[in-house]
Amino acid sequence: MEQPTGGAEPAGAADGDAESLDRPLPEDVRRKVVTLVSDAFGGLTVTELPAQLRQYARFTPTRRVKFAGNAMAAALESDPVFRRRIAEWVGRNQAELAGALESGAPPAAADPVDVAAAAYVLRPPGWVKLVAAAGEEVQRAGAERVGEETRRELDRLREELGRARVRTRTETERLRAELDATRKEADSLHRKLRSALSEVKRGEAALRKNAAETDAVRAEAAAQVSAAESESRRLKARLAEAEASVEASRRAAREGRSVEDMRLRLLLDTVLDAAQGLRRELALPPSSIRPADGVEAVEPGRMSPKDIAARALSETDPALLDQLLALPQAHLIVDGYNVTKTGYPQMPLEKQRLRLLGGLSLLAAQTGAEMTCVFDGAELAAPVLLAPPRGVRVLFSKAGVTADELIRQLARAEPPGRPVVVVSTDREVADGVAKAGARPVASALLLKRLSRV
């Protein structure tokens, strides 16, 4: 039955409200209080509930404890009217415990948590002490429970430790036995391995000996085969020479002259051609000097040696280059960039090359001489796509090799006696090719000659 919200409360209740806890409720007591409040919901109408708890009125007690526990505990602490209604419900449903609390003598056999929860709701005189005592009792019971559990856990661990020790001893003995057996087996395997290694070494030694003997036999056989092949080739060569000699003799006999006559005529033609080339190169006049002319004297109307020297061509006369290129089988080697940078250095390298090669192509057509133009490959940023003109060989030096060295290699590659002309103003190049038997000329001489093409 609902009590009026107004009016004076009993003196005992007023004294109980005046008391207050100096510490939070023990957790077990708090849960019991929340359970009492949840169970008391069934005896209250919605209007009798605080506004914040009305939404949980249709919940089951278990769901109210789960979802509204904090809200019910806060309302019980802050709303005296709501607490009085809960206290009335407790007084009706737990009359014996409520009476004992009002008389100040709670039952000794009652659960301390139930006593503390009822005291917290009913608020009899001295309820704070009851709650504190219940909290201490709960803590002591919890400590005893934890101690008992700890003892049981310790006993269990001791039993497990004993069993583990027994298992460990058993396993250790088993492992020792297995280790002894393994050691014996390993010793046996080591002995077998050493024996197998000894047999392998003996086999390898025998194999090496057989291989050496085989190699010696093969080398001897190869030497014999090589000697036989050499003798066969020598005999074949002698046979071929004999056959060629017989055939030449027959042909010479048929033509009316001997082989020696043919060789002599060939040698004579070679000497005559060389003499004519030497005369053209030195610009010698027809020989009209006799031994008597070597005697020093002055003849009227005769030219002096100075006048004869004046008739020789100058080193800067383009006609000198024409005379050199007119020699039999002449080869002109040109230091490309040396010539272009002397004649037209302001032009790009590509145009310098094209201009020089064009002039050399016309000069080759006019003289019929072999011509090689050498450029330094270090000047190139990328490979040159260049179609060499007709009659001119174009070469670029490889990486690490200068054009000067390539020119000297070309001069040394020519056979002795062949007229080779090298165009370069580089003194080192001129000296190097001169040692190889070539004739160096200045770049300006070639530029003058090309200007007339």
Side-chain angles (χ1 to χ4, degrees):
M1 182 175 182
E2 183 180 355
Q3 297 294 329
T5 59
E9 294 185 359
D15 294 340
D17 289 343
E19 299 181 23
S20 61
L21 292 172
D22 59 353
R23 68 188 66 181
L25 280 174
E27 184 60 26
D28 293 344
V29 176
R30 178 184 176 282
R31 284 197 297 269
K32 185 63 178 178
V33 170
V34 171
T35 302
L36 290 175
V37 175
S38 176
D39 293 340
F41 262 52
L44 300 177
T45 63
V46 176
T47 57
E48 291 175 340
L49 296 174
Q52 68 270 25
L53 299 180
R54 291 174 182 175
Q55 58 181 326
Y56 306 109
R58 296 185 180 275
F59 283 25
T60 62
T62 303
R63 292 189 66 201
R64 278 196 294 270
V65 171
K66 181 176 180 181
F67 295 102
N70 293 333
M72 289 187 295
L76 187 68
E77 180 65 25
S78 61
D79 191 341
V81 176
F82 176 66
R83 185 176 66 251
R84 187 173 62 250
R85 289 170 180 167
I86 299 299
E88 292 173 355
W89 182 87
V90 172
R92 289 194 301 270
N93 290 273
Q94 299 183 11
E96 183 179 354
L97 179 59
L101 291 173
E102 289 294 339
S103 64
D111 189 346
V113 175
D114 294 341
V115 173
Y120 181 79
V121 173
L122 296 173
R123 302 289 175 95
W127 67 273
V128 173
K129 295 181 179 179
L130 293 175
V131 173
E136 294 175 356
E137 183 65 23
V138 169
Q139 291 179 356
R140 185 172 60 256
E144 292 178 356
R145 184 169 60 255
V146 171
E148 183 64 24
E149 292 177 354
T150 303
R151 284 193 296 273
R152 288 197 297 272
E153 181 67 16
L154 182 60
D155 293 340
R156 184 182 65 79
L157 293 175
R158 285 174 178 172
E159 292 177 358
E160 290 185 358
L161 179 60
R163 290 193 296 271
R165 287 176 176 173
V166 173
R167 288 195 302 271
T168 302
R169 284 195 296 271
T170 304
E171 185 69 16
T172 302
E173 292 175 357
R174 184 182 65 80
L175 292 176
R176 285 177 179 173
E178 291 182 357
L179 179 60
D180 293 339
T182 303
R183 285 176 176 172
K184 293 178 180 178
E185 184 178 359
D187 293 339
S188 176
L189 291 176
H190 279 304
R191 288 193 295 273
K192 292 180 180 179
L193 179 60
R194 286 194 293 270
S195 176
L197 289 175
S198 299
E199 293 179 358
V200 169
K201 289 180 179 178
R202 287 194 296 270
E204 289 178 350
L207 181 61
R208 286 194 296 270
K209 181 179 179 181
N210 293 334
E213 293 177 354
T214 303
D215 292 340
V217 171
R218 286 179 179 174
E220 184 178 358
Q224 294 176 357
V225 170
S226 178
E229 290 178 350
S230 299
E231 183 65 18
S232 176
R233 287 194 298 270
R234 187 179 65 81
L235 293 175
K236 288 180 180 179
R238 291 185 62 181
L239 179 59
E241 290 176 358
E243 291 177 351
S245 177
V246 170
E247 181 63 26
S249 298
R250 290 175 180 174
R251 187 169 54 253
R254 286 194 302 268
E255 295 177 355
R257 58 180 179 270
S258 65
V259 176
E260 294 299 328
D261 293 339
M262 294 172 58
R263 295 176 62 184
L264 183 59
R265 177 60 183 272
L266 181 59
L267 180 59
L268 181 59
D269 291 342
T270 302
V271 172
L272 291 176
D273 290 342
Q276 292 176 1
L278 182 61
R279 174 177 291 179
R280 286 195 301 270
E281 182 178 2
L282 299 178
L284 295 177
S287 178
S288 59
I289 301 176
R290 297 293 182 265
D293 296 330
V295 179
E296 291 188 13
V298 178
E299 297 181 12
R302 300 287 294 185
M303 298 180 63
S304 66
K306 181 177 179 181
D307 295 330
I308 296 175
R311 295 181 60 187
L313 296 178
S314 170
E315 290 291 334
T316 59
D317 190 347
L320 177 60
L321 187 59
D322 289 332
Q323 287 188 359
L324 294 174
L325 296 181
L327 295 173
Q329 300 296 321
H331 184 188
L332 179 67
I333 302 176
V334 180
D335 188 352
Y337 287 136
N338 186 276
V339 175
T340 60
K341 292 181 180 180
T342 301
Y344 23 87
Q346 71 282 359
M347 298 176 64
L349 291 181
E350 181 180 2
K351 292 186 177 180
Q352 290 183 20
R353 291 194 294 267
L354 293 176
R355 180 170 175 178
L356 175 59
L357 294 177
L360 291 177
S361 177
L362 295 176
L363 183 60
Q366 292 176 359
T367 61
E370 179 183 356
M371 294 194 181
T372 302
C373 187
V374 179
F375 294 105
D376 194 345
E379 300 282 348
L380 301 178
V384 175
L385 301 178
L386 176 66
R390 184 180 181 87
V392 181
R393 180 188 299 107
V394 180
L395 300 177
F396 287 91
S397 61
K398 297 189 296 185
V401 179
T402 62
D404 298 349
E405 179 59 28
L406 181 56
I407 291 171
R408 286 191 289 269
Q409 292 177 7
L410 290 172
R412 289 193 298 267
E414 294 294 342
R418 184 182 183 185
V420 179
V421 183
V422 177
V423 180
S424 178
T425 55
D426 190 328
R427 176 50 54 188
E428 185 177 354
V429 174
D431 294 342
V433 298
K435 292 179 181 179
R439 170 65 184 272
V441 297
S443 297
L445 186 64
L446 177 61
L447 291 170
K448 290 181 180 180
R449 178 60 181 85
L450 294 180
S451 64
R452 289 164 35 189
V453 174

